[in-house]
Amino acid sequence: MGRLTVRRPVRKLTTGGDRRRADTLAAEEPMEIRVGGKALAVTMRTPGHDVELAHGFLLSEGVIGAREDVLTARYCDGVDEAGRNTYNVLDLALSDGVPPPETGVERNFYTTSSCGVCGKAALDAVRLKTRFSPASSPFTISADVLGDLPDALRARQKVFAQTGGLHAAGLFDSGGELLVVREDIGRHNAVDKVLGWALLEGRIPLGGVGLLVSGRASFELVQKAAMAGIPLLAAVSAPSSLAAELAEENGMTLVGFLRGESMNLYTGDSRVLT
């Protein structure tokens, strides 16, 4: 397994002087996802929970819908200059009867850590139809409970506390309990990791939970939530216009600027109880 953090010398300039010291940086390494031995995507990610990441990626792309759809997941041989396994290539074998990914799912070789859809091979492959519609979910949560969640998420961001350089995503229930939290240098990877956790735990579809992200709410995050059947997405920062449109189309609740007692409800406001 690759390192989560890397120590690097830095020259620090402040009004109090000039000094050199070691700084802790969030690790970023490529991971190639293969299906049946065929390269599907390369994503820049923070090492850790790679199997969850791959499962969540395939779920959010509509390739799989349950843990039984994947037969095996294994690291392929790949070594660095010292002969150590890099654990940067993961190959998943689909179960019998599960169709392989369509051509539109393939990425133009890699996606950056900031964009989960920019590598799509065709524009018409960007917008996906979920098999788990969140529109009919009865999920509700009180505004007070929702407002406490960003602090709870931050308290569980261990690598962020060391580096200040990672995004986080977490799944929560109506009582405000965080069921799982994952960190990654890519916001879409953090979401894929929590979705992969849920899939491997047999919790898909996720009609009874919400998704909290530490940054902004973009189109690809709303789409990933919809693909897992999540009825509510909350972000501590702003949503994009397309994110709001997609949330409304899918009958989802979209919350932005979630900061304590203050929040903006862009769609599906009836799920947040005041």
Side-chain angles (χ1 to χ4, degrees):
M1 184 62 63
R3 294 173 291 176
L4 298 179
T5 61
V6 176
R7 298 284 284 175
R8 186 174 180 85
V10 61
R11 181 185 177 192
K12 187 174 180 64
L13 305 178
T14 67
T15 55
D18 178 347
R19 65 190 179 96
R20 296 182 182 274
R21 64 179 180 83
D23 193 24
T24 302
L25 304 179
E28 182 177 26
E29 295 184 11
M31 185 180 80
E32 180 179 313
I33 299 173
R34 297 178 182 174
V35 175
K38 181 181 179 181
L40 183 66
V42 176
T43 184
M44 302 303 297
R45 99 301 190 195
T46 299
H49 304 289
D50 290 336
V51 174
E52 292 177 353
L53 171 59
H55 280 75
F57 174 80
L58 294 182
L59 170 68
S60 65
E61 295 289 345
V63 178
I64 62 174
R67 60 184 174 185
E68 293 79 16
D69 291 343
V70 176
L71 188 62
T72 60
R74 64 181 181 86
Y75 286 104
C76 300
D77 292 337
V79 296
D80 60 16
E81 61 278 1
R84 298 168 297 193
N85 195 319
T86 59
Y87 297 99
N88 283 339
V89 180
L90 192 66
D91 191 8
L92 292 88
L94 301 180
S95 299
D96 291 340
V98 178
E102 296 180 2
T103 303
V105 176
E106 295 177 1
R107 304 300 176 101
N108 291 329
F109 202 62
Y110 86 95
T111 64
T112 69
S113 57
S114 61
C115 178
V117 298
C118 53
K120 284 281 192 173
L123 289 177
D124 58 3
V126 170
R127 203 179 276 263
L128 303 173
K129 183 174 177 59
T130 178
R131 67 179 81 183
F132 308 117
S133 174
S136 61
S137 169
F139 178 83
T140 59
I141 189 170
S142 75
D144 291 340
V145 172
L146 188 58
D148 290 337
L149 282 169
D151 287 341
L153 183 71
R154 176 64 62 87
R156 290 176 60 173
Q157 291 181 247
K158 297 180 180 179
V159 182
F160 178 86
Q162 301 176 55
T163 66
L166 289 188
H167 294 282
L171 298 175
F172 59 89
D173 62 20
S174 59
E177 179 184 356
L178 284 169
L179 306 176
V180 61
V181 173
R182 294 289 184 260
E183 294 181 279
D184 199 276
I185 198 143
R187 58 173 59 87
H188 57 95
N189 288 336
V191 171
D192 280 341
K193 286 178 178 181
V194 299
L195 297 186
W197 172 87
L199 186 136
L200 291 169
E201 290 291 318
R203 292 173 175 260
I204 300 296
L206 290 168
V209 304
L211 171 65
L212 175 64
V213 294
S214 60
R216 59 184 175 85
S218 56
F219 167 85
E220 71 265 26
L221 298 193
V222 173
Q223 181 163 269
K224 288 178 182 296
M227 294 299 285
I230 297 174
L232 186 150
L233 170 61
V236 301
S237 191
S240 68
S241 61
L242 197 56
E245 291 176 16
L246 188 63
E248 190 168 49
E249 288 177 12
N250 282 280
M252 294 171 58
T253 300
L254 180 61
V255 182
F257 294 106
L258 178 60
R259 299 168 185 176
E261 297 178 354
S262 175
M263 66 192 75
N264 289 351
L265 308 180
Y266 293 91
T267 64
D269 61 294
S270 61
R271 287 196 178 96
V272 179
L273 308 179
T274 57

